Amino acid sequence: MSVRTLPLLFLNLGGEMLYILDQRLRAQNIPGDKAHKVLNDIISTMFNRKFMEELFKPQELYSKKALRTVYDRLAHASIMRLNQASMDKLYDLMTMAFKYQVLLCPRPKDVLLVTFNHLDTIKGFIQDSPTILHQVEETFRQLTETYGGLSAGEFQLIRQTLLSFFQDLHIRVSIFLKDRVQNSNGRFVLPVSGPVPWGTEVPGLIRMFNNKGKEVKKVEFKHGGHYVTAPKEGSFELCGDRVLKLGTNMYSINRPVETHMSGASKNLASRTQESIVPNPLAKEELNLLARLMGGMEIKKASGPEPGFRLNLFTTDEEEEQAALTRPEELSYEVINIQATQDQQRHKELARIMGEFEVTEQPRPSTSKGDDLLAMMDEL
């Protein structure tokens, strides 16, 4: 497994989260000033300098539950609130979109172009906020510095690590189903056409060489696809033509997006319930997670501006039904951690981690306005 995978995973999933939230804010006719504040606050938190420093340190990937905890906190970094079912749906859409992009990358290195596409669009969200824009551009620099010199083999290991992370996720998404790029069982349909990876030739020809390296024979074969040569390589510069369209905003056109758990996913989840015996690696993971989230500075809403609830479903009834029908094994437990820079709190955090006390947030009350996923506010 690659220890350089976490920044790419986090930034791409975060980019998809922002795409979805932007679409839902527009669909629910949230006033422009509030929608703008939500995106600005989340992006500012996401690209916080201390947070990025922790993120880019070589480290193993977190479990799905631990990573979900980070996005729970990130999504609630502003005045917006999400109910549990909406947060589940948001995370499902994020993970399946990026999984599809990783699968379609023509070559392993192109996952970096996918990341740049996400960051390019994020820059468009905050064009009128120079301070936040500088944070995003600084992350571009860190990405170039960290990944610019990696070999093809190292990128292949990163891609393999990402696919291992997504391996058991087969959630059906309406956009993918309608576009016929996903089957009814939640598995993706990979194309046998289009541009081949940059620097490679269209398949259909076998060359044979003698022991002196001289070509002695050519054999053609039918490959069964419709391949073309890549027009040019995507730009890895701060500003440039990425060529690759993976990672751009597929929610630009307002259309409903639903998620459904496939039968295969339900069966898999029922077979893989976590043991009640503490994982010996749990303490280390919680410590890593605490350090990461300690750098995530959440800005509290100032002034009398009230919060609002965002629904990722068409109606409240659909949201409530989704919460009731989602298999318990597939619901991500929220890890309640307070990770601050205060030394005394760090000692208390270490004590709690040492006891493996991981608590689940209480179920939402009947009040729709409650902050259902308020995390890490109390020990």
Side-chain angles (χ1 to χ4, degrees):
M1 294 295 177
S2 172
V3 294
R4 291 291 187 187
T5 306
L6 184 59
L8 298 178
L9 178 63
F10 174 80
L11 291 170
N12 284 286
L13 287 179
E16 289 299 321
M17 182 178 76
L18 290 166
Y19 294 171
I20 298 162
L21 292 178
D22 174 63
Q23 189 271 342
R24 292 309 301 164
L25 288 166
R26 287 184 282 109
Q28 290 188 210
N29 297 316
I30 301 299
D33 57 338
K34 284 191 175 182
H36 186 263
K37 175 176 175 53
V38 168
L39 294 181
N40 272 22
D41 287 350
I42 292 176
I43 294 171
S44 177
T45 302
M46 180 176 170
F47 290 93
N48 176 272
R49 181 180 60 82
K50 292 181 181 179
F51 182 40
M52 284 294 120
E53 287 176 357
E54 288 295 334
L55 187 72
F56 275 82
K57 291 178 181 178
Q59 55 194 298
E60 298 289 342
L61 286 186
Y62 301 129
S63 68
K64 295 179 181 66
K65 286 187 177 182
L67 192 64
R68 162 64 189 271
T69 304
V70 177
Y71 288 106
D72 272 315
R73 179 165 182 174
L74 186 59
H76 292 86
S78 187
I79 57 176
M80 178 192 69
R81 293 295 173 260
L82 296 172
N83 282 354
Q84 182 72 48
S86 284
M87 191 65 217
D88 286 340
K89 180 177 179 179
L90 174 62
Y91 192 69
D92 288 345
L93 290 171
M94 290 158 50
T95 52
M96 293 307 291
F98 185 44
K99 176 182 179 178
Y100 184 55
Q101 293 157 14
V102 175
L103 285 169
L104 287 190
C105 276
R107 55 181 183 166
K109 186 179 181 180
D110 288 336
V111 72
L112 190 55
L113 289 177
V114 175
T115 310
F116 286 170
N117 273 336
H118 280 108
L119 266 61
D120 287 341
T121 308
I122 291 172
K123 286 168 63 179
F125 289 146
I126 39 94
Q127 281 296 335
D128 59 346
S129 304
T131 302
I132 307 176
L133 187 61
H134 176 72
Q135 291 178 251
V136 178
E137 291 179 346
E138 179 63 18
T139 300
F140 262 106
R141 186 195 64 77
Q142 287 180 281
L143 285 167
T144 302
E145 185 179 287
T146 302
Y147 298 97
L150 297 188
S151 66
E154 288 172 307
F155 274 110
Q156 171 59 21
L157 186 58
I158 288 174
R159 183 176 184 271
Q160 182 181 356
T161 304
L162 288 169
L163 291 176
S164 295
F165 179 84
F166 292 123
Q167 183 174 0
D168 298 327
L169 294 177
H170 307 295
I171 303 164
R172 294 175 293 162
V173 178
S174 62
I175 287 180
F176 295 142
L177 292 170
K178 290 174 182 176
D179 292 344
R180 297 184 179 180
V181 298
Q182 192 179 31
N183 291 324
S184 59
N185 62 2
R187 297 182 182 275
F188 287 112
V189 178
L190 301 184
V192 287
S193 60
V196 296
W198 172 255
T200 63
E201 298 180 8
V202 174
L205 181 66
I206 300 174
R207 294 186 176 91
M208 283 166 272
F209 300 82
N210 61 18
N211 57 1
K212 296 182 179 180
K214 182 178 179 180
E215 185 177 311
V216 294
K217 187 178 180 180
K218 292 182 180 180
V219 179
E220 294 185 356
F221 66 93
K222 293 183 178 181
H223 51 68
H226 299 86
Y227 298 104
V228 295
T229 304
K232 61 178 180 178
E233 185 177 25
S235 171
F236 290 90
E237 300 299 323
L238 176 61
C239 297
D241 182 8
R242 311 300 177 196
V243 179
L244 197 69
K245 299 304 179 185
L246 298 172
T248 54
N249 191 351
M250 67 177 178
Y251 305 100
S252 297
I253 301 175
N254 197 351
R255 51 179 174 173
V257 185
E258 299 297 334
T259 57
H260 312 277
M261 298 308 302
S262 69
S265 291
K266 291 179 182 179
N267 292 336
L268 177 65
S270 64
R271 295 196 306 267
T272 57
Q273 294 186 37
E274 293 191 36
S275 171
I276 59 173
V277 179
N279 187 325
L281 298 178
K283 181 177 179 180
E284 181 63 22
E285 179 174 75
L286 287 173
N287 277 295
L288 289 170
L289 181 61
R291 285 208 309 272
L292 178 63
M293 302 189 75
M296 186 183 284
E297 297 176 0
I298 301 298
K299 297 180 179 179
K300 298 297 182 182
S302 58
E305 186 173 9
F308 67 92
R309 187 176 67 89
L310 188 71
N311 189 349
L312 265 73
F313 295 83
T314 307
T315 65
D316 289 346
E317 289 72 21
E318 287 185 18
E319 184 181 53
E320 292 169 359
Q321 182 63 24
L324 292 172
T325 58
R326 188 176 181 88
E328 185 178 352
E329 303 87 0
L330 297 172
S331 293
Y332 299 93
E333 294 178 359
V334 178
I335 304 174
N336 189 13
I337 301 173
Q338 172 70 20
T340 70
Q341 299 303 315
D342 183 81
Q343 185 175 6
Q344 183 177 356
R345 290 190 179 275
H346 269 306
K347 291 179 180 178
E348 181 68 7
L349 175 62
R351 183 188 66 77
I352 292 175
M353 288 177 178
E355 296 174 0
F356 291 94
E357 290 182 4
V358 180
T359 60
E360 184 175 359
Q361 289 281 25
R363 296 300 297 173
S365 68
T366 55
S367 173
K368 290 289 185 181
D370 286 347
D371 180 358
L372 303 177
L373 293 175
M375 299 172 50
M376 301 161 209
D377 291 332
E378 297 177 359
L379 281 171

